[in-house]
Amino acid sequence: MSLKRTLRIALKNSKFKVGIAIVTIMAIFALLGPLTTPFDNMGYYPIKFGSTTFPKPTTPSLPPMSQDTVYGPSGVVNVTHYLGTDSFGRDIYAQLTYGMRSSFFIGIVAGGLATLLGLLIGFVAGYKGGWTDESLMILTNIMLVIPTMALLIIIAAYLPYRGTGIESLIIGLTAWPWAARAVRAQTLSLKNREFVNLARLSGLSDLRIIFDQIMPNMVSYVFMVFILQFGGSILAAVGLDFIGLGPTRGMSLGIMLQQAVLWNAVTLGYWWWAIPPGLVIAILITGLYFINTGLDEVFNPRLRRGGE
Amino acid sequence: MSGIKRYLIRKTLIYTLTFFLAVTIDFIIPRMMPGDPIGVLLSRFATLPEATKYLHGYFVQAFGLNKPLWEQYLSFWNAVLHGDLGVSIYYYPKPVTEILKAAIPYDLALLFPALVASWFVGNWLGAIAGKNRKLDSYLMPVFYFLQASPYFWFAILLSYLFTFKLGWFPISGAYSYGIIPSLSWEFIKDYLYHWILPFLSLFMVQLGGWAIGMRNMIIYEVEADYIRYLEALGASERTLMKHAFKNAMLPQVTGLAIQLGLLVAGNVTVQIVFSYPGIGYVLMQGIMNQDYFLIQGAFLVIILTVLIANFTIDLLYALIDPRVRTSYTEEGG
């Protein structure tokens, strides 16, 4: 199926369209949101004093859409807290939009890495077969059974300084097994097709066959795997951040939720602190699932329900 | 050799290997990390010189850092197999095994019902959605949203609604402060009252995943050739669905393995939201206080639970899918 035709069918699919719309809106929010707020990534108001910047908290525990004033060296500044402030006087909206940014970063880096690893291992296992397949699948099954979160916990617990990059790396290195299994199954079904046998007969190297003959037939599939890995990585990162194993400096959606729980946002009724960080993640990932189902229906006509 | 026997031997081998690897990871990681773990541990006891002296001796002995690595590894295995997971720093001088033993029942009482109930209800709702197109357009987004929610965030949402807004359920703990755990009716009532929100958090999020899986499988199966054939033969709607449902069930059993890992991880975070005294809460205490023995122990318990559960699932799978047995027979020739 050519790319153009695929896209045309995909754009007729309502689930795909809804998913794309949700993810695009979230991506714009992550990319441009930080430009719409005077606060920094921690939600403080940066006050420039000469060449240094001092992060200044504002009035704590304000509900959404509150007006507030900041006293700086250049006079009084009026600000609006779109989503209110937390117990430390930090702007929630700013934390949320910067947090979305790092979530997207983790989704792309960790999800990309996991997809790549899954692809590589699944391909090699399925294509080579025999002993290679056997040992790679044992490794995959072992990694599949060990709960990723438990592994992440134990690795992250012993790293004293962690950034978003390290976190993505850890997640990417542990999230690949199910992708490897799925890719292997696909490779197995493709490798005995006539065109692949023909390529083999004409003496092409294994690598050439994998990249020139098998890969192009799996692009759509790999893309769907990436979407799921993207969402899964974001969820894994939020969980890690929440139990205190996320980045040791800075802010993220998971850290926001952790602080909201630690400082009793729920019992105090500060819903604007405890609810939005998880809500944007749930909405974003719902969007990803919609894209995935839409694509599934495009590539797999049996799943289409008449009129869609 | 019979198919089922080959299958069992193979699975047992893989699980033994996994357990071996998990314990090895548990052993290696603290030793791989930069810095002096004993120094970090002892700094917590700087105000208690007596304890420091005792603990230093204990730690050197426990880690066996003066011995060659292979000997350390063997003694670590020896200790693990004897159920000796060291002494907790945070709950000093309680042994880690004792802390974990007290926590595990709370986990099982949450995990098992959540897994089973969400599996049944999710599959049931998913089958309904797969069959009924109109209902599906309402149900599907809900399932997706549930599946997309982080477990602990859903827990926060529930506690905001049912505790803060409505005041129906308690916010934290496994039972009230004034009550002593016993098998009395009063305690059980109090326990269930605290149990319901953590349970619902796990149940609802899991349910979404199962329902979506079932829905997709039913849609797929209903279009399959054998169903078309049955339809052409004039079989009733009921018979059609029965066959589609049976076939759609298989991937849902395989899926248990992956879902279980997610559920165990979700359980850890949900317990933190509700200060529920299971392994998750213990693990969090270990992480916050750099209690490495506690982290190691909790990791082992989690791995063991997942391994045992997965093994059970694999056995179940061999029982319900005849293809598993035959495929292993054919391989054996």
Side-chain angles (χ1 to χ4, degrees):
Chain A
M1 209 185 309
S2 75
L3 193 70
K4 220 170 139 191
R5 219 183 118 225
T6 311
L7 254 171
R8 215 180 55 225
I9 302 179
L11 283 174
K12 273 191 201 149
N13 186 294
S14 58
K15 290 186 193 100
F16 182 78
K17 278 191 289 191
V18 170
I20 286 284
I22 291 175
V23 176
T24 311
I25 290 170
M26 287 295 175
I28 291 173
F29 178 60
L31 217 60
L32 304 179
L35 303 177
T36 60
T37 173
F39 300 95
D40 67 7
N41 68 329
M42 302 281 289
Y44 291 117
Y45 190 88
I47 290 178
K48 286 206 175 60
F49 208 78
S51 58
T52 43
T53 315
F54 296 97
K56 190 179 191 311
T58 47
T59 318
S61 314
L62 288 174
M65 295 315 287
S66 300
Q67 303 290 328
D68 199 6
T69 45
V70 185
Y71 302 94
S74 50
V76 181
V77 190
N78 285 311
V79 289
T80 310
H81 296 293
Y82 299 120
L83 279 171
T85 55
D86 61 21
S87 297
F88 306 99
R90 298 177 300 192
D91 186 73
I92 304 272
Y93 174 80
Q95 292 180 46
L96 197 71
T97 169
Y98 278 104
M100 262 322 244
R101 222 183 232 191
S102 73
S103 280
F104 265 89
F105 174 83
I106 288 174
I108 289 167
V109 176
L113 181 65
T115 309
L116 214 67
L117 277 174
L119 200 63
L120 198 73
I121 291 169
F123 255 149
V124 173
Y127 186 77
K128 280 282 183 191
W131 186 82
T132 317
D133 182 25
E134 197 80 1
S135 42
L136 281 178
M137 275 307 108
I138 288 182
L139 177 73
T140 307
N141 285 332
I142 288 175
M143 288 293 289
L144 202 63
V145 172
I146 294 181
T148 315
M149 182 68 122
L151 205 61
L152 292 177
I153 287 168
I154 204 113
I155 298 172
Y158 293 111
L159 284 175
Y161 305 106
R162 298 177 299 267
T164 323
I166 293 271
E167 191 177 24
S168 310
L169 194 73
I170 301 175
I171 294 173
L173 286 177
T174 47
W176 55 267
W178 69 262
R181 269 220 321 213
V183 168
R184 173 177 171 272
Q186 283 282 308
T187 313
L188 279 180
S189 83
L190 278 172
K191 87 167 179 187
N192 285 324
R193 301 274 173 87
E194 274 165 25
F195 64 91
V196 178
N197 282 330
L198 215 61
R200 209 173 286 135
L201 276 178
S202 53
L204 286 183
S205 70
D206 278 356
L207 271 181
R208 284 287 302 273
I209 295 176
I210 287 178
F211 281 104
D212 294 355
Q213 308 293 321
I214 299 183
M215 270 282 221
N217 285 290
M218 290 184 64
V219 172
S220 61
Y221 193 73
V222 169
F223 184 65
M224 284 161 62
V225 168
F226 172 69
I227 288 178
L228 290 180
Q229 289 284 12
F230 182 87
S233 302
I234 291 176
L235 277 179
V238 169
L240 264 189
D241 293 0
F242 179 72
I243 55 174
L245 292 172
T248 35
R249 290 179 62 189
M251 191 50 80
S252 75
L253 298 177
I255 296 177
M256 284 176 78
L257 286 166
Q258 185 204 24
Q259 295 184 346
V261 167
L262 281 179
W263 301 98
N264 298 322
V266 171
T267 11
L268 293 168
Y270 302 161
W271 59 267
W272 56 89
W273 189 8
I275 306 292
L279 189 65
V280 288
I281 287 175
I283 292 175
L284 169 67
I285 292 174
T286 306
L288 290 172
Y289 286 150
F290 265 91
I291 293 181
N292 210 53
T293 316
L295 283 178
D296 215 5
E297 286 174 4
V298 170
F299 297 128
N300 207 339
R302 263 170 79 183
L303 285 174
R304 271 180 236 160
R305 305 189 133 185
E308 279 179 67
Chain B
M1 210 185 285
S2 74
I4 190 95
K5 213 166 167 188
R6 275 183 68 89
Y7 177 80
L8 282 184
I9 290 175
R10 206 188 155 86
K11 286 290 169 193
T12 315
L13 208 77
I14 288 195
Y15 282 112
T16 317
L17 211 64
T18 311
F19 177 66
F20 181 76
L21 198 79
V23 173
T24 309
I25 291 173
D26 216 16
F27 167 80
I28 289 174
I29 288 171
R31 288 168 176 79
M32 255 175 23
M33 293 303 153
D36 171 23
I38 293 184
V40 174
L41 298 179
L42 287 180
S43 64
R44 292 181 52 83
F45 293 88
T47 49
L48 299 164
E50 296 275 303
T52 310
K53 217 185 287 169
Y54 168 74
L55 278 175
H56 190 269
Y58 172 75
F59 285 140
V60 169
Q61 204 187 356
F63 277 119
L65 291 178
N66 42 357
K67 290 180 197 154
L69 207 62
W70 64 268
E71 216 170 296
Q72 289 179 36
Y73 184 57
L74 286 183
S75 56
F76 182 73
W77 263 105
N78 189 36
V80 166
L81 292 178
H82 284 94
D84 172 18
L85 297 171
V87 175
S88 162
I89 314 291
Y90 181 60
Y91 295 101
Y92 185 81
K94 257 192 181 174
V96 171
T97 323
E98 206 173 288
I99 298 165
L100 296 175
K101 250 189 213 152
I104 289 171
Y106 292 107
D107 287 279
L108 293 182
L110 267 183
L111 281 174
F112 192 68
L115 187 69
V116 172
S118 67
W119 194 82
F120 278 103
V121 177
N123 279 324
W124 175 65
L125 284 176
I128 291 177
K131 213 165 48 172
N132 187 330
R133 196 176 298 171
K134 196 152 172 249
L135 213 58
D136 183 39
S137 54
Y138 298 109
L139 283 179
M140 200 197 68
V142 177
F143 295 153
Y144 271 139
F145 186 78
L146 287 176
Q147 197 192 6
S149 306
Y151 282 94
F152 61 90
W153 175 72
F154 207 78
I156 293 173
L157 193 67
L158 288 182
S159 72
Y160 178 75
L161 289 177
F162 292 104
T163 307
F164 180 75
K165 279 281 168 197
L166 299 167
W168 287 358
F169 297 106
I171 184 104
S172 70
Y175 47 85
S176 306
Y177 286 118
I179 212 163
I180 296 160
S182 61
L183 266 177
S184 67
W185 175 234
E186 199 190 349
F187 174 73
I188 292 172
K189 225 167 58 182
D190 189 64
Y191 171 80
L192 284 177
Y193 186 53
H194 284 78
W195 171 87
I196 197 115
L197 282 187
F199 165 77
L200 271 182
S201 318
L202 295 174
F203 170 75
M204 294 293 282
V205 177
Q206 272 280 290
L207 182 142
W210 292 124
I212 282 294
M214 194 54 172
R215 168 199 174 267
N216 291 345
M217 282 309 295
I218 287 282
I219 292 173
Y220 196 74
E221 291 293 335
V222 161
E223 297 294 316
D225 289 338
Y226 73 93
I227 292 280
R228 292 253 164 91
Y229 181 67
L230 270 180
E231 213 172 359
L233 287 179
S236 70
E237 170 88 17
R238 245 186 93 85
T239 321
L240 293 183
M241 283 320 291
K242 204 181 88 190
H243 284 275
F245 194 74
K246 254 187 167 170
N247 276 306
M249 228 46 206
L250 289 174
Q252 296 295 86
V253 176
T254 336
L256 274 169
I258 295 175
Q259 287 302 321
L260 194 80
L262 292 174
L263 187 67
V264 167
N267 176 42
V268 169
T269 55
V270 166
Q271 286 183 355
I272 293 167
V273 173
F274 293 108
S275 308
Y276 204 78
I279 295 284
Y281 190 69
V282 168
L283 186 64
M284 175 83 162
Q285 299 298 336
I287 291 169
M288 300 268 271
N289 299 290
Q290 298 200 309
D291 189 339
Y292 294 118
F293 288 112
L294 206 55
I295 300 176
Q296 270 186 335
F299 178 79
L300 267 187
V301 168
I302 290 174
I303 286 284
L304 260 182
T305 321
V306 173
L307 284 185
I308 294 170
N310 268 300
F311 194 64
T312 320
I313 291 164
D314 276 337
L315 290 185
L316 206 73
Y317 198 63
L319 283 180
I320 62 167
D321 189 357
R323 278 173 302 188
V324 170
R325 272 167 285 170
T326 50
S327 77
Y328 277 87
T329 319
E330 277 157 21
E331 254 181 36

